[in-house]
Amino acid sequence: MYRRKEILSILAVMILVVVIIIFAYERDVRKNLTSSEIQWLKEQDSIIYAANDNAPPLRFVDEIDDQYKGVVVDYINQLSLELGVDIQTVPMEWNHALESLKNGNTHICDMFVNEERSRYYLFTDPIYNLRTVLLTKNNKSFELEQINNMVIATEKGDYANAYLIENYPAANLVYTQNVEEGLEMFLSGKVDAVIGDEPIITYLLVERGQNTNPNYINQVLYEEEVVLAVSKNKPELVSILNKAILQMNKKGQLEKIQQKWFGISTPLIAKKTDAEMIENIIISVIIALIGFTVIILNNYSLKKQVRRRTIELESSRNELRIIFDGMTEYMIVVDKNKNIINCNKSFADFSGTSREKIAGENCENYLKNFCNGCTGCMTDETLKLQKTIKKEVMAGKDVYEITCQLLKGAEDTVLISIKNITIDKINRNQMLQTNKMIAVGQLAAGMAHEIRNPLGIIRTQSYLLRLNENQEETTNKSLDFIDSSVNRASSIIDNILSFSRLTGNKKDFVNLKEIIQKIIEMHNDIIKKENIRVSLECSIDEKLNLSTESMEHILLNLISNAVEAMEHGGEIKISANVEEGNIIIVCEDTGCGIDEKNMNNIFNPFFTTKELGKGTGLGLFIVYSEVEKMGGKIHVSSKLGEGTKFTITIPAERNNDDRII
């Protein structure tokens, strides 16, 4: 019988708990955001809260770390978490914050409500209560009417200004950028009093060690509710914020934030209403009943929760492992002694061994290709400075970016990531080279125009001197040298001006093989004279839509350079094919090759290694410019004394039936 009553009691309690939970759930549903409100939040890039930048402890910019902090800033951050939306906090001067909110550039600011502000802003439910005080000299006979005879420092745009003007019209108000500036004026005797919110005045006095000074006294002027003012261009935000404020009040979030800043004091919280007290009692009873039920069901549910949690953790661990192993970068986790704790599959494959064998080994055994041993170790530097360290290193012919960062949640543990950035570096260098070519080409063209004028004067004067029949032989020889040099300079200038314009954009359907053969025939005499063998392999049968002039410039200069590089005979191999939608042209010779120190300069205009008078240094510049114009790329590889290979890749145009044209 007793057992039956006990079971019935438990069932009754459980039914009551279920009813309470359903009731509470329904209430929560009514408090939840509507689907339209959720959609509206998703459509916002961000919501911006802007307020005073120097009103500690409510809100201020910390001089130590330059962070925006304070009671209200913490409240706004908690509000952001409650809504699940990004709310940015932006410090400003107070009057600027009000103006920005009025213009709709920002969206939220906490403030007192008055009739003037109601014209420009919408308001939420109250979030806290705040007292405003007048800090003045201690006078036992002080009465509030004396304010009319005082000089008072007050912040621009503050609610207190309208209050003083309405209630103490004879007071002389001195407007400041913030309360701190007004306090300094008061302490230095420039004003009779300073007005401000009580927490701010108290905080600033404590900071200056003046909070217990018997010469000063705080006179309470008024206590008002503070709300969140909302820009009128976002009326939907008012209802959303009210729901979040209600939830935060029920969770006691403001009390927790105040304990952080004020300890056990609660200067911002008003007394709770009778309705709230009754609600708290009901909630306490509900919690007690739920607690009783939980104790009864604990033995059963605990095991079930542990099993479910174990499965979830295992699933989460597997997901993280899949992500970790899926990264193409090499990832290694090491401890403070540089022993490897873990690594991803990419690094294990690179090392040619298994993770199990790598674990516990010193990282020097596996990272020696990327660093110079333990001297100047990035891991040591990361642990010492407690910040992320990045460096670029060469390993063989590849460039790697190594990043060392502290692993959160694991003391003295460093995550090392190694990324191959060789392709990125090549692309970046090619972009820089292209920009440099454009700038240098423009400069050269401008200089050529400028040099042409003085050359014309020299040519004219030489001509006039030759008209003198009594000219000495030595003078005529000098004039010959002058004319010869002027002609050479003019020829170079003509080339520069021609090359600065280079070719047009006109394209025709041409046979690439015939163009190459024509350029080779132009060099037949010197090819035979220097005993040079030339082979051509071209598998392209269809006509290509190309700029004939550009291709002739490119091939003429490449073949000319190859011929000049083989003074004692050799071989030139030329091939042209279409691969993966690109035209690939290769010109390879067995000549003298290019010194590695000159490789970065060969495409620069006027750079040449030939003897004086035998080259202008413009040939490869033309090749580079024409290839770039056609949207292509050029790559060169060379070894001194063995030869040089140029590979040109040009996108092939296609017609509507996907045939190359």
Side-chain angles (χ1 to χ4, degrees), residues 308-332:
R308 185 174 65 250
R309 186 59 178 159
T310 302
I311 294 172
E312 290 175 353
L313 289 173
E314 184 66 22
S315 176
S316 177
R317 189 174 71 87
N318 291 337
E319 289 177 1
L320 290 174
R321 169 58 67 185
I322 291 171
I323 295 171
F324 190 58
D325 284 341
M327 291 182 172
T328 56
E329 300 176 19
Y330 304 147
M331 311 291 288
I332 310 100

PDB file of all heavy atoms in Angstrom, residues 308-332:
ATOM      1  N   ARG A 308      24.575   8.998 -24.252  1.00  0.00           N
ATOM      2  CA  ARG A 308      24.344   9.903 -25.376  1.00  0.00           C
ATOM      3  C   ARG A 308      25.502  10.880 -25.542  1.00  0.00           C
ATOM      4  O   ARG A 308      25.954  11.151 -26.657  1.00  0.00           O
ATOM      5  CB  ARG A 308      23.050  10.683 -25.155  1.00  0.00           C
ATOM      6  CG  ARG A 308      22.677  11.561 -26.347  1.00  0.00           C
ATOM      7  CD  ARG A 308      21.321  12.221 -26.187  1.00  0.00           C
ATOM      8  NE  ARG A 308      21.303  13.166 -25.093  1.00  0.00           N
ATOM      9  CZ  ARG A 308      20.639  12.985 -23.952  1.00  0.00           C
ATOM     10  NH1 ARG A 308      19.946  11.863 -23.754  1.00  0.00           N
ATOM     11  NH2 ARG A 308      20.659  13.891 -23.005  1.00  0.00           N
ATOM     12  N   ARG A 309      25.983  11.388 -24.403  1.00  0.00           N
ATOM     13  CA  ARG A 309      27.089  12.343 -24.471  1.00  0.00           C
ATOM     14  C   ARG A 309      28.359  11.691 -24.993  1.00  0.00           C
ATOM     15  O   ARG A 309      29.131  12.303 -25.754  1.00  0.00           O
ATOM     16  CB  ARG A 309      27.342  12.946 -23.081  1.00  0.00           C
ATOM     17  CG  ARG A 309      28.373  14.054 -23.058  1.00  0.00           C
ATOM     18  CD  ARG A 309      27.960  15.181 -23.946  1.00  0.00           C
ATOM     19  NE  ARG A 309      28.930  16.278 -23.907  1.00  0.00           N
ATOM     20  CZ  ARG A 309      29.038  17.189 -24.834  1.00  0.00           C
ATOM     21  NH1 ARG A 309      28.243  17.152 -25.893  1.00  0.00           N
ATOM     22  NH2 ARG A 309      29.930  18.153 -24.725  1.00  0.00           N
ATOM     23  N   THR A 310      28.557  10.445 -24.614  1.00  0.00           N
ATOM     24  CA  THR A 310      29.738   9.716 -25.093  1.00  0.00           C
ATOM     25  C   THR A 310      29.689   9.558 -26.607  1.00  0.00           C
ATOM     26  O   THR A 310      30.687   9.750 -27.312  1.00  0.00           O
ATOM     27  CB  THR A 310      29.821   8.337 -24.420  1.00  0.00           C
ATOM     28  OG1 THR A 310      29.882   8.502 -23.001  1.00  0.00           O
ATOM     29  CG2 THR A 310      31.048   7.581 -24.903  1.00  0.00           C
ATOM     30  N   ILE A 311      28.494   9.227 -27.118  1.00  0.00           N
ATOM     31  CA  ILE A 311      28.322   9.082 -28.571  1.00  0.00           C
ATOM     32  C   ILE A 311      28.563  10.415 -29.272  1.00  0.00           C
ATOM     33  O   ILE A 311      29.221  10.489 -30.312  1.00  0.00           O
ATOM     34  CB  ILE A 311      26.913   8.542 -28.885  1.00  0.00           C
ATOM     35  CG1 ILE A 311      26.772   7.109 -28.351  1.00  0.00           C
ATOM     36  CG2 ILE A 311      26.650   8.581 -30.385  1.00  0.00           C
ATOM     37  CD1 ILE A 311      25.360   6.564 -28.430  1.00  0.00           C
ATOM     38  N   GLU A 312      28.025  11.501 -28.695  1.00  0.00           N
ATOM     39  CA  GLU A 312      28.195  12.831 -29.289  1.00  0.00           C
ATOM     40  C   GLU A 312      29.659  13.237 -29.323  1.00  0.00           C
ATOM     41  O   GLU A 312      30.146  13.791 -30.320  1.00  0.00           O
ATOM     42  CB  GLU A 312      27.384  13.865 -28.501  1.00  0.00           C
ATOM     43  CG  GLU A 312      25.880  13.726 -28.677  1.00  0.00           C
ATOM     44  CD  GLU A 312      25.113  14.684 -27.774  1.00  0.00           C
ATOM     45  OE1 GLU A 312      25.758  15.342 -26.929  1.00  0.00           O
ATOM     46  OE2 GLU A 312      23.881  14.758 -27.905  1.00  0.00           O
ATOM     47  N   LEU A 313      30.363  12.996 -28.198  1.00  0.00           N
ATOM     48  CA  LEU A 313      31.782  13.351 -28.138  1.00  0.00           C
ATOM     49  C   LEU A 313      32.593  12.556 -29.146  1.00  0.00           C
ATOM     50  O   LEU A 313      33.506  13.081 -29.794  1.00  0.00           O
ATOM     51  CB  LEU A 313      32.326  13.128 -26.720  1.00  0.00           C
ATOM     52  CG  LEU A 313      31.841  14.104 -25.646  1.00  0.00           C
ATOM     53  CD1 LEU A 313      32.323  13.667 -24.270  1.00  0.00           C
ATOM     54  CD2 LEU A 313      32.343  15.511 -25.946  1.00  0.00           C
ATOM     55  N   GLU A 314      32.255  11.287 -29.283  1.00  0.00           N
ATOM     56  CA  GLU A 314      32.967  10.445 -30.244  1.00  0.00           C
ATOM     57  C   GLU A 314      32.715  10.931 -31.666  1.00  0.00           C
ATOM     58  O   GLU A 314      33.636  11.003 -32.493  1.00  0.00           O
ATOM     59  CB  GLU A 314      32.512   8.992 -30.088  1.00  0.00           C
ATOM     60  CG  GLU A 314      33.256   8.007 -30.974  1.00  0.00           C
ATOM     61  CD  GLU A 314      34.722   7.866 -30.606  1.00  0.00           C
ATOM     62  OE1 GLU A 314      35.077   8.179 -29.451  1.00  0.00           O
ATOM     63  OE2 GLU A 314      35.508   7.454 -31.481  1.00  0.00           O
ATOM     64  N   SER A 315      31.454  11.289 -31.936  1.00  0.00           N
ATOM     65  CA  SER A 315      31.109  11.805 -33.260  1.00  0.00           C
ATOM     66  C   SER A 315      31.820  13.123 -33.534  1.00  0.00           C
ATOM     67  O   SER A 315      32.359  13.343 -34.620  1.00  0.00           O
ATOM     68  CB  SER A 315      29.597  12.000 -33.359  1.00  0.00           C
ATOM     69  OG  SER A 315      29.239  12.584 -34.590  1.00  0.00           O
ATOM     70  N   SER A 316      31.840  14.010 -32.514  1.00  0.00           N
ATOM     71  CA  SER A 316      32.519  15.300 -32.669  1.00  0.00           C
ATOM     72  C   SER A 316      34.012  15.106 -32.891  1.00  0.00           C
ATOM     73  O   SER A 316      34.629  15.778 -33.723  1.00  0.00           O
ATOM     74  CB  SER A 316      32.273  16.161 -31.428  1.00  0.00           C
ATOM     75  OG  SER A 316      32.960  17.384 -31.516  1.00  0.00           O
ATOM     76  N   ARG A 317      34.594  14.164 -32.136  1.00  0.00           N
ATOM     77  CA  ARG A 317      36.027  13.899 -32.283  1.00  0.00           C
ATOM     78  C   ARG A 317      36.348  13.372 -33.678  1.00  0.00           C
ATOM     79  O   ARG A 317      37.340  13.763 -34.303  1.00  0.00           O
ATOM     80  CB  ARG A 317      36.470  12.884 -31.225  1.00  0.00           C
ATOM     81  CG  ARG A 317      37.982  12.702 -31.139  1.00  0.00           C
ATOM     82  CD  ARG A 317      38.342  11.804 -29.978  1.00  0.00           C
ATOM     83  NE  ARG A 317      37.955  10.437 -30.238  1.00  0.00           N
ATOM     84  CZ  ARG A 317      38.722   9.553 -30.873  1.00  0.00           C
ATOM     85  NH1 ARG A 317      39.909   9.907 -31.326  1.00  0.00           N
ATOM     86  NH2 ARG A 317      38.309   8.323 -31.066  1.00  0.00           N
ATOM     87  N   ASN A 318      35.464  12.502 -34.198  1.00  0.00           N
ATOM     88  CA  ASN A 318      35.672  11.976 -35.547  1.00  0.00           C
ATOM     89  C   ASN A 318      35.558  13.070 -36.603  1.00  0.00           C
ATOM     90  O   ASN A 318      36.310  13.102 -37.584  1.00  0.00           O
ATOM     91  CB  ASN A 318      34.664  10.866 -35.830  1.00  0.00           C
ATOM     92  CG  ASN A 318      34.936   9.614 -35.007  1.00  0.00           C
ATOM     93  OD1 ASN A 318      36.063   9.394 -34.557  1.00  0.00           O
ATOM     94  ND2 ASN A 318      33.909   8.810 -34.784  1.00  0.00           N
ATOM     95  N   GLU A 319      34.590  13.980 -36.416  1.00  0.00           N
ATOM     96  CA  GLU A 319      34.425  15.088 -37.357  1.00  0.00           C
ATOM     97  C   GLU A 319      35.664  15.982 -37.365  1.00  0.00           C
ATOM     98  O   GLU A 319      36.141  16.402 -38.426  1.00  0.00           O
ATOM     99  CB  GLU A 319      33.184  15.906 -36.994  1.00  0.00           C
ATOM    100  CG  GLU A 319      31.877  15.183 -37.288  1.00  0.00           C
ATOM    101  CD  GLU A 319      30.672  15.993 -36.846  1.00  0.00           C
ATOM    102  OE1 GLU A 319      30.871  17.120 -36.335  1.00  0.00           O
ATOM    103  OE2 GLU A 319      29.539  15.498 -36.994  1.00  0.00           O
ATOM    104  N   LEU A 320      36.173  16.293 -36.160  1.00  0.00           N
ATOM    105  CA  LEU A 320      37.371  17.125 -36.078  1.00  0.00           C
ATOM    106  C   LEU A 320      38.569  16.432 -36.716  1.00  0.00           C
ATOM    107  O   LEU A 320      39.396  17.075 -37.372  1.00  0.00           O
ATOM    108  CB  LEU A 320      37.675  17.461 -34.614  1.00  0.00           C
ATOM    109  CG  LEU A 320      36.701  18.423 -33.937  1.00  0.00           C
ATOM    110  CD1 LEU A 320      37.031  18.559 -32.457  1.00  0.00           C
ATOM    111  CD2 LEU A 320      36.764  19.797 -34.598  1.00  0.00           C
ATOM    112  N   ARG A 321      38.658  15.128 -36.535  1.00  0.00           N
ATOM    113  CA  ARG A 321      39.758  14.370 -37.130  1.00  0.00           C
ATOM    114  C   ARG A 321      39.670  14.405 -38.656  1.00  0.00           C
ATOM    115  O   ARG A 321      40.678  14.554 -39.347  1.00  0.00           O
ATOM    116  CB  ARG A 321      39.735  12.928 -36.614  1.00  0.00           C
ATOM    117  CG  ARG A 321      40.670  11.965 -37.345  1.00  0.00           C
ATOM    118  CD  ARG A 321      42.103  12.412 -37.299  1.00  0.00           C
ATOM    119  NE  ARG A 321      42.652  12.363 -35.967  1.00  0.00           N
ATOM    120  CZ  ARG A 321      43.873  12.799 -35.663  1.00  0.00           C
ATOM    121  NH1 ARG A 321      44.640  13.330 -36.613  1.00  0.00           N
ATOM    122  NH2 ARG A 321      44.315  12.737 -34.422  1.00  0.00           N
ATOM    123  N   ILE A 322      38.442  14.276 -39.190  1.00  0.00           N
ATOM    124  CA  ILE A 322      38.259  14.321 -40.646  1.00  0.00           C
ATOM    125  C   ILE A 322      38.691  15.678 -41.191  1.00  0.00           C
ATOM    126  O   ILE A 322      39.382  15.781 -42.205  1.00  0.00           O
ATOM    127  CB  ILE A 322      36.787  14.025 -41.010  1.00  0.00           C
ATOM    128  CG1 ILE A 322      36.463  12.558 -40.698  1.00  0.00           C
ATOM    129  CG2 ILE A 322      36.517  14.335 -42.476  1.00  0.00           C
ATOM    130  CD1 ILE A 322      34.986  12.219 -40.811  1.00  0.00           C
ATOM    131  N   ILE A 323      38.269  16.757 -40.492  1.00  0.00           N
ATOM    132  CA  ILE A 323      38.654  18.110 -40.918  1.00  0.00           C
ATOM    133  C   ILE A 323      40.163  18.284 -40.826  1.00  0.00           C
ATOM    134  O   ILE A 323      40.811  18.821 -41.733  1.00  0.00           O
ATOM    135  CB  ILE A 323      37.933  19.165 -40.055  1.00  0.00           C
ATOM    136  CG1 ILE A 323      36.426  19.102 -40.295  1.00  0.00           C
ATOM    137  CG2 ILE A 323      38.454  20.568 -40.356  1.00  0.00           C
ATOM    138  CD1 ILE A 323      35.611  19.957 -39.345  1.00  0.00           C
ATOM    139  N   PHE A 324      40.747  17.843 -39.711  1.00  0.00           N
ATOM    140  CA  PHE A 324      42.184  17.969 -39.468  1.00  0.00           C
ATOM    141  C   PHE A 324      42.975  17.238 -40.547  1.00  0.00           C
ATOM    142  O   PHE A 324      43.943  17.764 -41.104  1.00  0.00           O
ATOM    143  CB  PHE A 324      42.486  17.414 -38.080  1.00  0.00           C
ATOM    144  CG  PHE A 324      43.879  17.695 -37.584  1.00  0.00           C
ATOM    145  CD1 PHE A 324      44.346  18.993 -37.466  1.00  0.00           C
ATOM    146  CD2 PHE A 324      44.725  16.654 -37.213  1.00  0.00           C
ATOM    147  CE1 PHE A 324      45.623  19.258 -36.997  1.00  0.00           C
ATOM    148  CE2 PHE A 324      45.995  16.909 -36.744  1.00  0.00           C
ATOM    149  CZ  PHE A 324      46.448  18.216 -36.637  1.00  0.00           C
ATOM    150  N   ASP A 325      42.518  16.020 -40.860  1.00  0.00           N
ATOM    151  CA  ASP A 325      43.230  15.219 -41.859  1.00  0.00           C
ATOM    152  C   ASP A 325      42.968  15.709 -43.275  1.00  0.00           C
ATOM    153  O   ASP A 325      43.759  15.466 -44.184  1.00  0.00           O
ATOM    154  CB  ASP A 325      42.812  13.751 -41.747  1.00  0.00           C
ATOM    155  CG  ASP A 325      43.452  13.063 -40.554  1.00  0.00           C
ATOM    156  OD1 ASP A 325      44.465  13.595 -40.058  1.00  0.00           O
ATOM    157  OD2 ASP A 325      42.939  12.030 -40.104  1.00  0.00           O
ATOM    158  N   GLY A 326      41.835  16.400 -43.490  1.00  0.00           N
ATOM    159  CA  GLY A 326      41.498  16.870 -44.824  1.00  0.00           C
ATOM    160  C   GLY A 326      42.269  18.101 -45.255  1.00  0.00           C
ATOM    161  O   GLY A 326      42.236  18.477 -46.434  1.00  0.00           O
ATOM    162  N   MET A 327      42.963  18.740 -44.328  1.00  0.00           N
ATOM    163  CA  MET A 327      43.727  19.942 -44.676  1.00  0.00           C
ATOM    164  C   MET A 327      44.963  19.572 -45.487  1.00  0.00           C
ATOM    165  O   MET A 327      45.692  18.645 -45.144  1.00  0.00           O
ATOM    166  CB  MET A 327      44.155  20.689 -43.406  1.00  0.00           C
ATOM    167  CG  MET A 327      43.008  21.330 -42.665  1.00  0.00           C
ATOM    168  SD  MET A 327      43.580  22.243 -41.213  1.00  0.00           S
ATOM    169  CE  MET A 327      42.077  23.058 -40.718  1.00  0.00           C
ATOM    170  N   THR A 328      45.182  20.326 -46.564  1.00  0.00           N
ATOM    171  CA  THR A 328      46.366  20.075 -47.391  1.00  0.00           C
ATOM    172  C   THR A 328      47.629  20.629 -46.739  1.00  0.00           C
ATOM    173  O   THR A 328      48.729  20.185 -47.052  1.00  0.00           O
ATOM    174  CB  THR A 328      46.183  20.716 -48.775  1.00  0.00           C
ATOM    175  OG1 THR A 328      45.906  22.117 -48.610  1.00  0.00           O
ATOM    176  CG2 THR A 328      45.042  20.067 -49.523  1.00  0.00           C
ATOM    177  N   GLU A 329      47.476  21.601 -45.853  1.00  0.00           N
ATOM    178  CA  GLU A 329      48.630  22.118 -45.124  1.00  0.00           C
ATOM    179  C   GLU A 329      49.123  21.057 -44.141  1.00  0.00           C
ATOM    180  O   GLU A 329      48.352  20.231 -43.659  1.00  0.00           O
ATOM    181  CB  GLU A 329      48.252  23.387 -44.352  1.00  0.00           C
ATOM    182  CG  GLU A 329      47.749  24.511 -45.223  1.00  0.00           C
ATOM    183  CD  GLU A 329      47.290  25.697 -44.398  1.00  0.00           C
ATOM    184  OE1 GLU A 329      47.693  25.785 -43.225  1.00  0.00           O
ATOM    185  OE2 GLU A 329      46.531  26.518 -44.922  1.00  0.00           O
ATOM    186  N   TYR A 330      50.415  21.108 -43.837  1.00  0.00           N
ATOM    187  CA  TYR A 330      50.970  20.198 -42.840  1.00  0.00           C
ATOM    188  C   TYR A 330      50.674  20.775 -41.457  1.00  0.00           C
ATOM    189  O   TYR A 330      51.011  21.927 -41.172  1.00  0.00           O
ATOM    190  CB  TYR A 330      52.476  20.037 -43.014  1.00  0.00           C
ATOM    191  CG  TYR A 330      52.894  19.578 -44.397  1.00  0.00           C
ATOM    192  CD1 TYR A 330      54.096  20.002 -44.961  1.00  0.00           C
ATOM    193  CD2 TYR A 330      52.087  18.730 -45.140  1.00  0.00           C
ATOM    194  CE1 TYR A 330      54.481  19.593 -46.240  1.00  0.00           C
ATOM    195  CE2 TYR A 330      52.467  18.315 -46.413  1.00  0.00           C
ATOM    196  CZ  TYR A 330      53.657  18.750 -46.957  1.00  0.00           C
ATOM    197  OH  TYR A 330      54.019  18.346 -48.212  1.00  0.00           O
ATOM    198  N   MET A 331      50.020  19.987 -40.588  1.00  0.00           N
ATOM    199  CA  MET A 331      49.642  20.443 -39.256  1.00  0.00           C
ATOM    200  C   MET A 331      50.312  19.547 -38.217  1.00  0.00           C
ATOM    201  O   MET A 331      50.159  18.330 -38.250  1.00  0.00           O
ATOM    202  CB  MET A 331      48.125  20.417 -39.072  1.00  0.00           C
ATOM    203  CG  MET A 331      47.328  21.074 -40.199  1.00  0.00           C
ATOM    204  SD  MET A 331      47.512  22.854 -40.259  1.00  0.00           S
ATOM    205  CE  MET A 331      46.587  23.332 -38.835  1.00  0.00           C
ATOM    206  N   ILE A 332      51.050  20.177 -37.288  1.00  0.00           N
ATOM    207  CA  ILE A 332      51.749  19.437 -36.235  1.00  0.00           C
ATOM    208  C   ILE A 332      51.495  20.120 -34.898  1.00  0.00           C
ATOM    209  O   ILE A 332      51.591  21.350 -34.796  1.00  0.00           O
ATOM    210  CB  ILE A 332      53.281  19.379 -36.489  1.00  0.00           C
ATOM    211  CG1 ILE A 332      53.577  18.918 -37.910  1.00  0.00           C
ATOM    212  CG2 ILE A 332      53.950  18.464 -35.485  1.00  0.00           C
ATOM    213  CD1 ILE A 332      53.917  20.051 -38.846  1.00  0.00           C
TER     214      ILE A 332
END
